[in-house]
Amino acid sequence: MNYSIIRKTTGLVMKFEAIFLLLPALTGLVYREREGLIYLGMAIAYYLIGFLINFRGESDTEFYTKEGFISVALVWIVISICGALPFVLCGDIPSYPDALFETISGFTTTGSSILADVEALSHASLFWRSFTHWVGGMGVIVFVLAIMPARRRRMGNQIHMMRAESPGPVVGKLVPKIRDTAKILYLIYFGMTVTEIVLLLLAGMPLFDTLCLSFGTAGTGGFGVLADSVASYPLLQQGIITVFMILFGVNFNAYFFLFLGKDKKEAFRLTEVRWYFLIIAFSVVTITINIARMFDNVFLAFHHAAFQVGSIITTTGYATQDFDLWPQYSRCLLVLIMFIGACAGSTGGGIKVSRIVILVKAGLQEIHHYIHPRAVTSVHMDGKPVESETVRSVIMYVGIYVVIFCSSVLLVTLFDGDQSLETVFTAVAATFNNIGPGLSAVGATANFGHLSLASKFVLMFDMLAGRLELYPMLLLFSPSLWKQR
């Protein structure tokens, strides 16, 4: 194990987190809150710590897959631990475990909250809470790779880090250099965020609300600034958020082909993107029919169905309605698309549409083999055969996913035996898939604050494991991996 590169990466990210903390510090200054000074102090302290960690000169900077995965897992744990301290020092979230839960939920773009009264937080803390979504949406390491100066890029093969942090069964480079790929991804991400901010401002939303909700939408996180999420905003503003939630759930490769690629038609040939929109269309139409009698007209039913489907499948977690009160079919379908999630290469969570497509096609191929044992067939995506290794990795991923999910449900049931199975099941589903709200006692109008401390730590692990695609977090528990090479 190359400990030098892990130390270097951690120190570098600590300095970037310090820079991020300057934004809530500035927010506190604008609103004349003392909390702004606390955020400023923490920013200075973290930058000094990062500087001291990286004070030693360069040594061995070569690293491989295991160093990349371990570095990413440790970085996400460290930034969460450090990011939680300002909440405690400000007094906004006095309990450190609760502050850690909220911060991990922010960085992993989960949006599950322990807060009963969100509006009681200072503006500085509300901004930091939402900004963690934006940072975690595209990825901390991807951000570092995108803006890191050339002299700091002597860090071996950076694709290992990007692969550990980016969602999906396959992670590749859009252009030959990994740093240029990271730049392109963040330019698209930044451009779409700014576009949403402008449209919400034109629609009459206050600037502070606009920034926080745009960060939550871009990162598909779901932290808002009001207790009712986005229910009290006008329909136009809710509609804009609906559109951008769905857009941020699209594989960013499609945007690259559409805006920067030579063959723009390639964006429309992506199998995963077509399936993604078909799942959304089916869910919206059937839920609209199912809940139509609950609203004054079909348009309102369609509006809320589209918003909630977009929010759940992209794992954003905003709500315009208490969907826990909807008919059983609608609630069941929403839980199902929690597991499907958004596209690979997006900011969304869940298993990912691409894995679902590969699983379905692999299942159909297996049935075909029973009928025609001698036939030679292969799974195809985007008109190209999928390597057998990729199919195997998808099946293994889903298998491990099911094991962790079931184990988490059992543990939370053990620690919170007084909770209903619906509450426990959807609490794990909401955190593991980085959704936010579940059903029943952890529904859209409730929170996770009433769960036991042990359950919260289980769910914190689930949030990190779900965001980092399982393996980086699981590798931390492998003793052999920590040995010096």
Side-chain angles (χ1 to χ4, degrees), residues 21 55 130 155 196 213 309 368 385 402 433 447 452 461 472 484:
L21 284 167
F55 183 72
S130 294
M155 296 176 65
E196 183 184 3
L213 291 178
V309 168
H368 183 76
V402 171
N433 294 307
N447 61 76
S452 67
F461 173 83
Q484 288 279 7

Side-chain angles (χ1 to χ4, degrees), residues 443-454:
T445 59
N447 61 76
F448 290 69
H450 56 85
L451 297 179
S452 67
L453 182 61

Side-chain angles (χ1 to χ4, degrees), residues 406-454:
C406 293
S407 301
S408 298
V409 170
L410 286 174
L411 286 172
V412 176
T413 303
L414 177 65
F415 299 138
D416 281 280
D418 58 329
Q419 300 292 336
S420 68
L421 180 59
E422 185 177 61
T423 295
V424 173
F425 186 89
T426 57
V428 174
T431 50
F432 198 25
N433 294 307
N434 306 132
I435 306 286
L439 298 176
S440 192
V442 291
T445 59
N447 61 76
F448 290 69
H450 56 85
L451 297 179
S452 67
L453 182 61

Side-chain angles (χ1 to χ4, degrees), residues 323-343:
F323 52 85
D324 200 25
L325 301 176
W326 287 4
Q328 195 75 348
Y329 171 83
S330 297
R331 295 165 71 243
C332 181
L333 185 54
L334 288 175
V335 171
L336 288 176
I337 62 176
M338 279 185 186
F339 290 93
I340 296 173
C343 297

Side-chain angles (χ1 to χ4, degrees), residues 114-144:
I114 50 83
L115 296 171
D117 186 8
V118 174
E119 297 172 38
L121 268 62
S122 63
H123 288 86
S125 290
L126 282 173
F127 187 93
W128 175 237
R129 187 170 169 265
S130 294
F131 190 65
T132 55
H133 281 334
W134 196 83
V135 174
M138 187 57 66
V140 182
I141 297 297
V142 175
F143 179 84
V144 172

